[in-house]
Each structure stands twice: as C-alpha cells, then as structure tokens.
Amino acid sequence: MNTLDSEQRHRILYLSYDGLTDGLGQSQILPYLTGLAKHGYSITVISFEKPDRYKKYRDQIQKICELHQLSWKPLIYHKSPLIFSTLYDMVTLRIVAKKLFLEKPFAIIHCRSYLTSLIGHWLKQKFGVKFIFDMRGFWADERVDGGIWNLNKPLFRMMYLFFKKKEREFLKAADHVICLTENARLEILSWGYERTAISVIPTCVDTDLFHPTKYEAESAVVRKALSIQPGTFVLIYLGSWGTWYMTDQMLQFFSILVSKYNDAIMLILTPDHPELSHYEFASKIIIKSVTRSEVPAYLTLGNASICFIKPSFSKKASSATKMAEAWAMNLPVVTNAGWGDIDRLNESGLPLFICENTFDYQNVATLLIDRKPQSAREMLLGNFDLASGIQKYKAIYQSLTV
C-alpha cells in the first residue's frame, strides 16, 4: 500500500465483539493495543460492551485509553432476542465503521474473531483496505464442540454452515491471518491455504503485572481472608467454569490430591457460580470471584494450577491465557493431552504435567506434593510474554503498510 501517506499508514481500526470492560478485553486486547500505540500506531477501537460491566468499568477503561491515546468507540452489546440481537449489533458496527473510515481512512482493519470479520471483509471489498483476520480459534466449531450450537436443529446447522463458508472467504481474502497455535496453522494449511500469510501468536501474559515478588503484602492479606494456613497445598483453577473445561476430571484430580495430602485446598477463581456443595470434598474447595488486577495476589497462594480442556477438533486452535499467567507466577500447570499445542509445550521445559488417565492423576499428584519451587518465567520470554506478542503484531502491521 505505497499510496498511503505517512499519517494514514499508522491508522488502525480494531474491531472486537468482546468488550474492553470484559476480563478478556482487559487481559487480551487492551495490553496489546496500548503496547502498539507506544510504537506510533493511531488505533481506534470499536468494542461491544455489556451494560453492567460498562457502567462499572467505563471510567477505568477510558482513562487507560486516554493515557495511551487510543480512540475508544464503545457500542452496547445486545444478548437477546437470539440471532436478531447479533444481527442488529453487526448492522450497527457496519454503519459506525464505515462512517469512521470515510472521515479518516485507515490503513488496516484488524478484526478479532469471526463476527467482526464480516464487517472487516466488507470494508476490504468496498475500500480496498488491508484486512487482518485475527481468528483466535475455530469459532464455529467451538460452538458445536461446546454444546452451544446443536447441529440437529436446523437453525444452528444453518448458522454453522454459514460461518464455515465465511471462514473460507476470510482465509482467502485476508491480507494476514493470525491464529493461536501451530496446530491451527498446520490445520489451515492442510485446507489448501498455502499462499495465505499466517502467523501464530499465542495468548500472552503481562509479566510485569504477573510477577511473583510484587505481591507479598497482598498475599498475606488474601491468605488471612481465605483462612488458608501457611504450608497448605493450594491447587488453583482460574477462569470460566464449564463448557469446554473438563470440570469433573479436574475435581477427580483434586480428590486424588486430597487422598495423598489431606490438608490440600482447591481455590477456584471464576466469575461463574458452580454448585459444588454435593461434592465429597466440598469443604476443601474455595470459590472466589476476583478482578484481573487481583488475580496475581491470589496466584501467589498456589502450589500448582490446573486446566483440563476437552480434546475436540476446535480446541487444537486454543491457547489458554491461564497457563501463561500461572507460569509467570512460577506455578506448574496440570492439564490433559489433545488440545492446542500442548504436546509441543510438553517438550519445551516449562513446568507442565499432562494427565490422560487416573493412573497419571496418581503419579502427578505425588510429584506435585514432593516438588520443589522452580522458576518458569524465563522460559516464557520470546513466546508467551506480552512484549513478544506486541512485537509480532507490530511486524504484521509493518508488513502490510510498506
């Protein structure tokens, strides 16, 4: 795009159906965009905000955007009626994005996932602007594998087929495709997209925020508030509970851990409200909802983190932020095989324990109890740390605007 003037070359329109006030927006969108803004990019963000979260966190996010000279255009997310609410949101996004482009053309439309790519692809066709399909995972397949779309119902089957068709169009039209895992990249190449520029950028962690030595005072306060005695073995689960996460298996692992170490505690940090009172070791489970800024202090209480994900087709494209955050706090991670790049990571030297059956649960539980503290932070650098993620995005932007 050598016809761009120097100012337009640095103007980016970023489209996200996730809100900046969402936990995901605060951990996996804002940190990248503020970092890219420091490299001279003028970024306008259109995001869809849930009304309750927008009311609660609007001022906080607005201050971050102003500090880093991000132009934030929040739109209200509509949840119902099903399908029609999403259609309404996409029509609104198309109108707003076109208006912004006509006022001051952008060099790149960076679209996070599939829904916003409907608009990014349209803008590319209409104005010739560069289009980044930041696909994250195999979204349509995730909704089937997670039980959200039942293909036996005609409406959901129609939606699935529509987005699989759009997926092919996005992959063909995009000036650059970004996915989260090497397994996803190889899968896409096997579909015949050898000429498509594809980069792998896994979900990264802010190693300045997630730093084990920064939270000694907060850690003591949290430990006291939760009545966790020093020396207690704490197994931590962080994030959403259910859907793609194998909760029964994680609880089974914990029951084996308790059978070996009676004082063990499972600390579940989630915005959800799992009902676990019927569970045999319910008295040893603590469920807590925390903000993103509070997470590192809670992780300091842990001896290990656990994350079991359904090994489905769609999950070969998944990268769990919670793993990188645990490693940044020097916690080993217990997980299962068959998702993301987990098999490759098992050979990386990172503290990772893979379980495939009850026999593995027994062995890993013993290993964790006897394990001495070990640093993992240095192993993140160049792959899972925020700085390297920003550099990879910057290189893509540069490649599209020379």
Side-chain angles (χ1 to χ4, degrees), residues 211-246:
H211 198 295
T213 64
K214 283 188 174 181
Y215 299 95
E216 292 182 5
E218 293 93 334
S219 178
V221 171
V222 169
R223 183 179 292 278
K224 183 177 180 180
L226 297 180
S227 299
I228 297 176
Q229 297 300 315
T232 300
F233 190 101
V234 180
L235 179 68
I236 293 183
Y237 175 79
L238 172 63
S240 300
W241 187 260
T243 312
W244 299 284
Y245 298 103
M246 300 163 64

Side-chain angles (χ1 to χ4, degrees), residues 60-251:
Q60 174 186 333
I61 301 302
Q62 187 62 55
K63 286 178 181 177
I64 294 173
C65 289
E66 289 174 358
L67 179 64
H68 295 89
Q69 297 182 311
L70 297 176
S71 177
W72 181 31
K73 308 293 182 184
L75 301 176
I76 297 302
Y77 166 82
H78 296 90
K79 188 176 182 179
S80 60
L82 184 67
I83 299 177
F84 292 102
S85 57
T86 306
L87 285 173
Y88 176 83
D89 287 347
M90 290 303 103
V91 170
T92 303
L93 177 58
R94 177 166 160 160
I95 292 170
V96 173
K98 180 182 177 182
K99 180 176 182 292
L100 290 172
F101 189 90
L102 291 176
E103 288 174 356
K104 192 175 286 189
F106 299 90
I108 297 171
I109 308 296
H110 186 161
C111 300
R112 181 183 173 86
S113 198
Y114 287 54
L115 285 168
T116 59
S117 291
L118 294 170
I119 309 306
H121 185 209
W122 174 75
L123 286 168
K124 176 181 174 63
Q125 292 176 314
K126 189 171 183 64
F127 298 108
V129 64
K130 297 293 186 181
F131 161 47
I132 294 177
F133 178 30
D134 197 343
M135 66 190 305
R136 315 310 295 167
F138 298 147
W139 182 73
D141 294 290
E142 281 185 336
R143 301 187 77 75
V144 173
D145 291 340
I148 300 170
W149 288 355
N150 183 348
L151 294 185
N152 291 323
K153 296 185 177 180
L155 179 59
F156 290 125
R157 182 166 183 80
M158 181 181 69
M159 290 168 60
Y160 175 76
L161 293 175
F162 172 79
F163 278 105
K164 289 302 286 184
K165 177 176 179 289
K166 287 297 178 183
E167 179 181 68
R168 294 191 294 272
E169 292 178 7
F170 299 157
L171 288 169
K172 185 177 180 180
D175 297 282
H176 208 105
V177 174
I178 299 170
C179 57
L180 299 176
T181 68
E182 180 64 17
N183 264 349
R185 189 185 74 85
L186 293 175
E187 178 68 26
I188 295 166
L189 291 176
S190 75
W191 299 344
Y193 294 95
E194 294 91 348
R195 296 184 180 179
T196 302
I198 305 174
S199 293
V200 176
I201 306 179
T203 52
C204 297
V205 58
D206 183 344
T207 52
D208 288 332
L209 176 64
F210 285 81
H211 198 295
T213 64
K214 283 188 174 181
Y215 299 95
E216 292 182 5
E218 293 93 334
S219 178
V221 171
V222 169
R223 183 179 292 278
K224 183 177 180 180
L226 297 180
S227 299
I228 297 176
Q229 297 300 315
T232 300
F233 190 101
V234 180
L235 179 68
I236 293 183
Y237 175 79
L238 172 63
S240 300
W241 187 260
T243 312
W244 299 284
Y245 298 103
M246 300 163 64
T247 56
D248 289 343
Q249 289 83 348
M250 289 189 285
L251 291 169

Side-chain angles (χ1 to χ4, degrees), residues 244-298:
W244 299 284
Y245 298 103
M246 300 163 64
T247 56
D248 289 343
Q249 289 83 348
M250 289 189 285
L251 291 169
Q252 183 185 2
F253 177 87
F254 177 63
S255 69
I256 290 173
L257 183 68
V258 170
S259 71
K260 295 177 177 294
Y261 193 87
N262 188 57
D263 291 335
I265 293 289
M266 186 171 186
L267 177 57
I268 301 174
L269 304 174
T270 180
D272 303 317
H273 304 281
E275 176 48 60
L276 303 178
S277 59
H278 62 285
Y279 184 62
E280 183 180 358
F281 298 103
S283 63
K284 295 180 176 295
I285 298 174
I286 300 171
I287 302 171
K288 186 77 176 174
S289 177
V290 296
T291 65
R292 170 169 163 74
S293 61
E294 293 174 322
V295 169
Y298 281 83

